[in-house]
Amino acid sequence: MSGAQMNVLVVGATGSIGRLVVEEAIRQGHAVCALVRDLRGASRLHAAALRVVGDLTRPNTLVAAVDGVDAIVFTHGADGGGKLGAEQVSYGGVRNVLTALDGHPARIALMTAIGVTNRTGAYNRSTEAHDWKRRSERLLRASGLPYTIVRPGWFDYNNADQHRLVMLQGDTRHAGDPRDGVVARVQIAQVLVNSLTSASATHKTFELVAERGPAQEDFDGLFADLDVDTPGVLDAVHDTHNMPLAQEPERVRDDLSRLATPEPHET
């Protein structure tokens, strides 16, 4: 790790992962700003975190939140709301924050979910949650910003002796239940925060699960074993290409065109 201290904005800061990201980032010496919808809901956050009020569905409220940031960690979710909520929050939140950045360089860590490329499962058919999270990933890859995309398994379904982190690629586990993989919330937060200062994590997408064994301390080593996403390709390396761009909604294609950088990232 570089050990560099950063100004970190946490999106979804009051959620079960977001609160842990705030605590981990502060523990590592970063200055943390927590994006909250209202201050009343931020009482459980670490006292050292600066609170900034903003609404992910209202882009004009996000400009102040991104001012001066070095890094952003996205842990937000729609929390219901069906297809509309998935689009407006899971996808729209990323789009609106990237728009508010307006070209300002920032290191990004985005949490989506294991199984995000599974379009035919009952969960995605009813909510389109996977599709919209995957579209948020695509926006980030197209943006040209340095990023890490983490697709965690089922939160806190791990056993007491199950803390050895395993990073997978290709998103091949589609059971739609804990058989896909499990991982502790606190470890998800650690991976997200450590990715911000690891050159080995840049432009990489992976599924995160835990197997039996002790937790590792060398996050750089874990990140280094992963393949880099292919420059200029919207999907993650090794992913199934089952979401043709030509069949995407026009509004999504417009967002990609507007936020994309003409320059491919370095490998």
Side-chain angles (χ1 to χ4, degrees):
M1 298 300 164
S2 69
Q5 294 184 341
M6 310 175 83
N7 294 320
V8 180
L9 174 68
V10 181
V11 178
T14 59
S16 66
I17 306 295
R19 290 196 301 271
L20 296 173
V21 167
V22 169
E23 293 173 5
E24 179 65 20
I26 290 171
R27 188 189 69 80
Q28 293 194 23
H30 300 301
V32 175
C33 181
L35 181 68
V36 299
R37 279 176 292 192
D38 62 76
L39 293 176
R40 292 172 297 176
S43 60
R44 297 175 61 187
L45 289 174
H46 194 291
L50 177 68
R51 280 77 160 164
V52 59
V53 176
D55 186 334
L56 285 176
T57 66
R58 298 167 58 202
N60 62 309
T61 70
L62 302 173
V63 176
V66 302
D67 184 38
V69 300
D70 302 308
I72 301 172
V73 181
F74 288 95
T75 65
H76 64 299
D79 293 328
K83 296 177 181 179
L84 182 61
E87 177 176 358
Q88 291 185 337
V89 179
S90 296
Y91 169 81
V94 175
R95 178 199 59 210
N96 292 342
V97 170
L98 292 180
T99 299
L101 279 171
D102 193 25
H104 175 77
R107 180 72 169 80
I108 310 294
L110 170 66
M111 183 185 78
T112 58
I114 199 167
V116 74
T117 64
N118 181 7
R119 307 193 70 190
T120 60
Y123 174 67
N124 189 62
R125 290 200 309 271
S126 64
T127 66
E128 295 183 357
H130 285 168
D131 287 351
W132 287 110
K133 286 180 180 180
R134 188 174 178 187
R135 289 171 181 136
S136 75
E137 292 185 357
R138 286 178 156 190
L139 285 179
L140 193 50
R141 294 191 193 96
S143 73
L145 294 171
Y147 67 82
T148 304
I149 297 173
V150 182
R151 300 164 167 176
W154 289 64
F155 304 166
D156 286 347
Y157 276 74
N158 57 300
N159 295 316
D161 63 346
Q162 198 171 3
H163 293 287
R164 180 175 63 85
L165 291 176
V166 177
M167 297 177 180
L168 309 167
Q169 291 183 297
D171 195 38
T172 60
R173 300 185 178 187
H174 293 170
D177 59 40
R179 289 176 295 172
D180 289 332
V182 298
V183 64
R185 283 177 168 87
V186 67
Q187 289 192 285
I188 300 170
Q190 290 168 352
V191 168
L192 289 165
V193 175
N194 278 286
S195 76
L196 299 176
T197 52
S198 174
S200 299
T202 307
H203 296 121
K204 293 184 177 179
T205 302
F206 56 90
E207 297 82 58
L208 180 68
V209 300
E211 302 293 350
R212 294 191 184 278
Q216 305 96 316
E217 296 183 3
D218 179 15
F219 289 93
D220 268 337
L222 289 170
F223 295 137
D225 288 338
L226 299 166
D227 291 334
V228 178
D229 288 338
T230 305
V233 176
L234 290 175
D235 288 322
V237 65
H238 308 310
D239 275 2
T240 299
H241 300 296
N242 60 352
M243 185 183 277
L245 182 60
Q247 297 177 18
E248 283 291 89
E250 183 177 2
R251 62 190 182 279
V252 172
R253 287 184 275 123
D254 288 344
D255 288 340
L256 282 166
S257 178
R258 179 173 54 85
L259 293 172
T261 176
E263 298 180 3
H265 64 65
E266 297 179 0
T267 57

